[in-house]
Amino acid sequence: MKLSGKELHNKLVNEYKIIGEKGIINFSLKDLTISIETKDTVGNLLQEWLKAWLIKESVEFEENANSQVFPDFYLDKYDKKLGLLEVKSFDWDRGPGFDLANFDSYCNSLLTSAYRLNSDYLIFAYQMKGSELTIKDVWIKKIWELACSSSTYPLKVQEKKNVIYNIRPSTWYSEKTKFKPFSSLEEFLSALNETRYQYPQTRHGNGHWLQNVLKNYEEHTGVRLQVR
C-alpha cells in the first residue's frame, strides 16, 4: 500500500487511533527485566515502533540505510525525491526541543536537492509517568509549518558562541506562542536567506544562494517559487 505523508498520518491517527494509547518501556537481559523511566531512548523506540507498524499495515516504505542522514524513511521507494519522511518526537511536558535540520548541511543540500523542501515531518508528542508512555498528539507537517522567526534572527536557530548549529521548531500547536510558524514555503525560504545574510559566516557567500535554490527547486518539481 503506497501512502503519502498525510495519508499515513490519517491512517495512524484516525484509523488506528494512536492518540491516547499507552505503552510500557522495559528492557530484559537474561533473567532480569527492568522498567525504563529515562526518556533518552524514547525517540528511537517510537521510530522503531513506527517501522514495525508500517510493515504490519503493509505500507510501502524504505528505511534510510544511514540513520544519521535525512530522511528517516522514503514512502516512495522508486522516486527518492518524493515521499521523504522524517520522524521526530518530544516530551509533551517540556515542549519541542528537537532539531529540524542542521543549518549548514540543510542550506548546502538545497542547492542540489531542493525537493527536500517538500519533505514531511511526522511528530509524536508523548508523556511519561514512570515507564509508561502515553501518546498525546501526532502531527504531519512541512518544515515551514514548524519553523518560525525569533528575536535574534529571521529564522529560529540554535546558536552557541555566535555559531549557528541547527534550525529549531516553533511551538506550533500553542495559541500563546510569541513566534508563529511561517505561513508558506516562500516565507520560510525568505527567512532562511535573510538569516544567511545576517549570519557572519554565510554572509559573504550568500549572493546567489537563494537564486540557485529556486532554480534547483524548479528543475526538480516544475514549480517556480517567487521569494522576495
Side-chain angles (χ1 to χ4, degrees):
M1 182 192 321
K2 187 176 177 181
L3 297 178
S4 66
K6 283 192 174 182
E7 290 168 338
L8 171 61
H9 176 263
N10 181 66
K11 186 174 183 65
L12 188 62
V13 172
N14 297 321
E15 293 182 27
Y16 192 68
K17 301 189 184 303
I18 188 71
I19 295 173
E21 290 299 316
K22 300 179 186 296
I24 302 291
I25 304 177
N26 294 325
F27 175 71
S28 297
L29 180 61
K30 201 173 180 180
D31 59 350
L32 182 62
T33 298
I34 61 171
S35 297
I36 305 299
E37 299 187 9
T38 59
K39 299 169 184 175
D40 304 0
T41 61
V42 173
N44 289 333
L45 291 173
L46 283 171
Q47 188 169 319
E48 284 298 307
W49 179 90
L50 178 66
K51 177 183 171 182
W53 181 80
L54 291 171
I55 294 170
K56 171 180 168 289
E57 297 292 326
S58 301
V59 176
E60 286 185 26
F61 76 97
E62 185 175 309
E63 189 174 20
N64 197 326
N66 187 342
S67 62
Q68 301 301 312
V69 176
F70 184 95
D72 294 316
F73 297 108
Y74 297 96
L75 296 180
D76 191 324
K77 297 192 293 184
Y78 305 104
D79 188 345
K80 297 296 177 63
K81 298 177 184 179
L82 301 173
L84 281 67
L85 184 71
E86 186 78 353
V87 181
K88 300 290 184 181
S89 60
F90 70 94
D91 180 350
W92 178 257
D93 295 322
R94 298 184 65 182
F98 56 84
D99 301 322
L100 293 173
N102 175 272
F103 182 78
D104 286 334
S105 296
Y106 189 77
C107 291
N108 290 334
S109 73
L110 294 184
L111 293 170
T112 56
S113 308
Y115 55 83
R116 181 178 175 178
L117 289 163
N118 294 331
S119 303
D120 287 310
Y121 286 75
L122 184 68
I123 306 152
F124 292 87
Y126 65 86
Q127 194 171 49
M128 275 190 78
K129 291 183 179 178
S131 62
E132 184 182 76
L133 176 148
T134 303
I135 301 298
K136 299 295 290 183
D137 212 335
V138 183
W139 299 266
I140 191 83
K141 296 285 186 182
K142 302 293 187 184
I143 192 166
W144 67 85
E145 297 174 311
L146 296 168
C148 66
S149 60
S150 72
S151 56
T152 308
Y153 286 106
L155 180 68
K156 183 180 178 181
V157 294
Q158 178 192 44
E159 185 184 31
K160 297 178 182 177
K161 296 181 179 179
N162 298 319
V163 176
I164 292 178
Y165 289 94
N166 298 300
I167 301 172
R168 302 305 293 268
S170 62
T171 311
W172 65 91
Y173 51 87
S174 173
E175 294 292 328
K176 298 178 182 178
T177 186
K178 181 179 179 181
F179 296 102
K180 303 291 185 183
F182 297 114
S183 59
S184 67
L185 171 56
E186 291 87 345
E187 191 179 356
F188 166 73
L189 279 174
S190 178
L192 181 55
N193 185 53
E194 189 58 35
T195 298
R196 286 175 56 83
Y197 270 121
Q198 292 184 21
Y199 181 44
Q201 291 194 25
T202 53
R203 179 185 302 148
H204 299 296
N206 199 51
H208 300 289
W209 178 83
L210 179 60
Q211 180 183 337
N212 291 334
V213 169
L214 296 177
K215 181 181 178 183
N216 189 260
Y217 186 84
E218 185 176 2
E219 288 172 355
H220 284 300
T221 67
V223 177
R224 180 175 295 180
L225 298 173
Q226 300 292 332
V227 179
R228 292 184 293 172

